[in-house]
Amino acid sequence: MKFRKDRDILRLSSGALLLIIACGIMLGFTPDYSYFGIGFALLLMGIVAIVAIVVAAITPEEYLIQDERSAKVEEKAGYHAFCSLLLMMALLQAIGCIWGLNFNFKDVVPDLFIVGIWSWIMLRWYYNRRGDAR
Amino acid sequence: MNTRIKELRARYNLTQEELAKKVGVRRETIVFLEKGKYNPSLKLAHDVAKVLETTIEELFIFDDD
């Protein structure tokens, strides 16, 4: 396993480390934990960033090239994921109207978010495998 | 759609990876092109044809031709 150490990886790693240091300062120098929420969020962001950077650093560079095919696949997957999200919202609204459910969209926002992200990931995988020639 | 990319690539002793690097795309894109499962842009078709020293018409063969 080769670990790339190019400029982008180093720049992003230092950004992630800065986030974690900022979190340490916030949590360490505020005895009453008044900034606990922000500090914890920064720590979480730093950890997620470091995991993403490690994954990017061990991925061969050729897989990270954004060529016309990958751009097309992402665009198509994003468009169809958005359409499926709209369809899902319309269906929920229709079900709510027909059965007279007192439906509030605020309650299902996390579920819709998950549906959107999953649709995008699955569609991207599918279009990436299928090719687009007819 | 069929292509002669594989045949011409072999003639010039190029691997898929080398061809991909020369035209600035992923290796996967070359795989899809060779299988005729991807419609490239005119620019990519031109770049591949240029690297393989041929023309677009000779590189891509359409079923109705």
Side-chain angles (χ1 to χ4, degrees), chain A residues 62 65 67-69 128 132, chain B residues 26 29 37-39 41:
Chain A
E62 61 160 295
I65 299 171
D67 66 359
E68 61 168 56
R69 193 180 143 270
N128 200 29
D132 74 341
Chain B
R26 292 183 189 178
T29 305
K37 285 173 90 179
Y38 174 60
N39 288 331
S41 66

Side-chain angles (χ1 to χ4, degrees), chain A residues 62-70 72 74 128-134, chain B residues 1 17 24-29 32 36-44:
Chain A
E62 61 160 295
Y63 289 103
L64 299 173
I65 299 171
Q66 180 82 343
D67 66 359
E68 61 168 56
R69 193 180 143 270
S70 57
K72 226 187 253 184
E74 287 195 11
N128 200 29
R129 271 178 64 99
R130 199 188 66 166
D132 74 341
R134 305 230 173 4
Chain B
M1 182 184 77
E17 202 157 347
V25 295
R26 292 183 189 178
R27 194 182 65 85
E28 284 172 299
T29 305
F32 274 88
K37 285 173 90 179
Y38 174 60
N39 288 331
S41 66
L42 193 56
K43 165 92 172 54
L44 180 58

Side-chain angles (χ1 to χ4, degrees), chain A residues 20-56:
Chain A
I20 292 174
I21 290 168
C23 148
I25 292 170
M26 263 184 188
L27 295 181
F29 290 94
T30 48
D32 56 347
Y33 292 108
S34 48
Y35 293 110
F36 183 78
I38 302 170
F40 187 72
L42 285 177
L43 178 70
L44 210 64
M45 279 164 66
I47 291 169
V48 169
I50 281 183
V51 171
I53 291 161
V54 168
V55 170

Side-chain angles (χ1 to χ4, degrees), chain A residues 74-88:
Chain A
E74 287 195 11
E75 199 180 300
K76 201 169 164 185
Y79 172 70
H80 287 146
F82 180 67
C83 286
S84 64
L85 203 63
L86 287 183
L87 185 74
M88 182 108 178

Side-chain angles (χ1 to χ4, degrees), chain B residues 7-24:
Chain B
E7 178 197 327
L8 291 166
R9 190 169 56 75
R11 192 184 291 173
Y12 290 100
N13 256 337
L14 282 171
T15 61
Q16 287 177 334
E17 202 157 347
E18 284 166 345
L19 178 61
K21 237 177 207 169
K22 282 188 180 206
V23 294

